[in-house]
Amino acid sequence: MEFSDVEGELSSTLFTQDEIHAKVAELARRIEADYAGKELLLVGVLRGAVMIMADLARELTMHVEMDWMAVSSYGSGTQSSGVVRILKDLDSDLHDRHVLIVEDIIDSGLTLSWLRANLESRGAASVEICTLLRKPEAARVEVNVRYVGFDIPPAFVVGYGLDFAERYRNLRGIGVLAPHVYE
Ligand code: PRP
């Protein structure tokens, strides 16, 4: 879907497909340099990370493995609570593996903080995080994130994997949802 397909539903556009792809390429160059000579396992967090995972993995010029987790945060509505339940676990054994968690967005930081500790406890050689978006003003817990695409204001953003009520994930770019859509 293009921005023109959701005209009137966004209050602003944040990043076009081209801007996202340029940023993903930048992140890929850094990841290649940092993991040169190492075996890397990319762990995507369903469902939002599907787009960044697909683009990042294809942009990388090194072999990687890909695995997926689905987690759900207990809590009311759209707010993370920090109590995380695993809905789908990894198929891979993490012992001695270099793991890079791939996310679409870090909001409060509660999900990623829990997830990193969980993956570290499985004996990984290293666990780092790559996120396309981060909302620094929404942070409730400090998470050390090695690769950040864009820092954004605390607005309701959709597109490129990010949803509102499961819609907008297939929008090519990223925009701010207009209040009349969710109010
Ligand atoms: C989003 C995102 C992270 C989490 C970040 O997932 O993909 O996993 O929220 O929020 P936090 O920093 O406040 O913990 P979401 O729960 O919306 O699920 P989805 O990826 O299936 O859309």
Side-chain angles (χ1 to χ4, degrees):
M1 249 182 359
E2 313 284 345
F3 287 130
S4 57
D5 296 312
V6 293
E7 219 182 318
E9 296 168 50
L10 302 181
S11 52
S12 64
T13 63
L14 276 184
F15 306 110
T16 63
Q17 174 174 227
D18 287 350
E19 288 167 334
I20 294 167
H21 287 173
K23 183 59 77 175
V24 169
E26 239 178 67
L27 295 172
R29 300 294 85 79
R30 288 177 51 202
I31 292 166
E32 286 159 5
D34 293 349
Y35 290 93
K38 291 181 177 153
E39 297 278 327
L40 182 58
L41 173 66
L42 301 178
V43 169
V45 185
L46 296 168
R47 294 175 236 182
V50 166
M51 306 299 174
I52 168 91
M53 180 76 144
D55 284 341
L56 179 67
R58 283 180 295 180
E59 183 62 36
L60 288 167
T61 56
M62 58 190 275
H63 288 291
V64 290
E65 286 181 36
M66 285 181 264
D67 203 346
W68 300 90
M69 272 184 97
V71 297
S72 140
S73 204
Y74 285 114
S76 58
T78 56
Q79 291 286 306
S80 276
S81 63
V83 182
V84 177
R85 185 165 55 117
I86 296 176
L87 302 178
K88 184 230 169 285
D89 207 346
L90 298 171
D91 295 320
S92 321
D93 180 353
L94 296 192
H95 194 73
D96 285 341
R97 301 296 309 269
H98 292 287
V99 176
L100 182 60
I101 302 171
V102 178
E103 262 290 18
D104 51 340
I105 189 163
I106 297 184
D107 205 320
S108 68
L110 292 167
T111 306
L112 264 292
S113 157
W114 181 91
L115 194 56
R116 163 182 258 155
N118 181 282
L119 299 191
E120 277 171 351
S121 75
R122 305 184 194 195
S126 68
V127 179
E128 298 291 347
I129 298 166
C130 174
T131 185
L132 182 65
L133 305 177
R134 180 174 64 178
K135 289 182 181 170
E137 290 164 54
R140 288 177 54 197
V141 61
E142 194 67 33
V143 190
N144 182 17
V145 185
R146 190 150 180 194
Y147 308 98
V148 180
F150 304 101
D151 277 326
I152 59 166
F156 199 143
V157 291
V158 293
Y160 197 70
L162 292 149
D163 75 308
F164 166 62
E166 296 305 325
R167 301 175 76 185
Y168 302 97
R169 290 194 199 272
N170 60 320
L171 180 63
R172 291 181 190 275
I174 295 173
V176 177
L177 196 62
H180 75 82
V181 177
Y182 58 88
E183 275 171 357

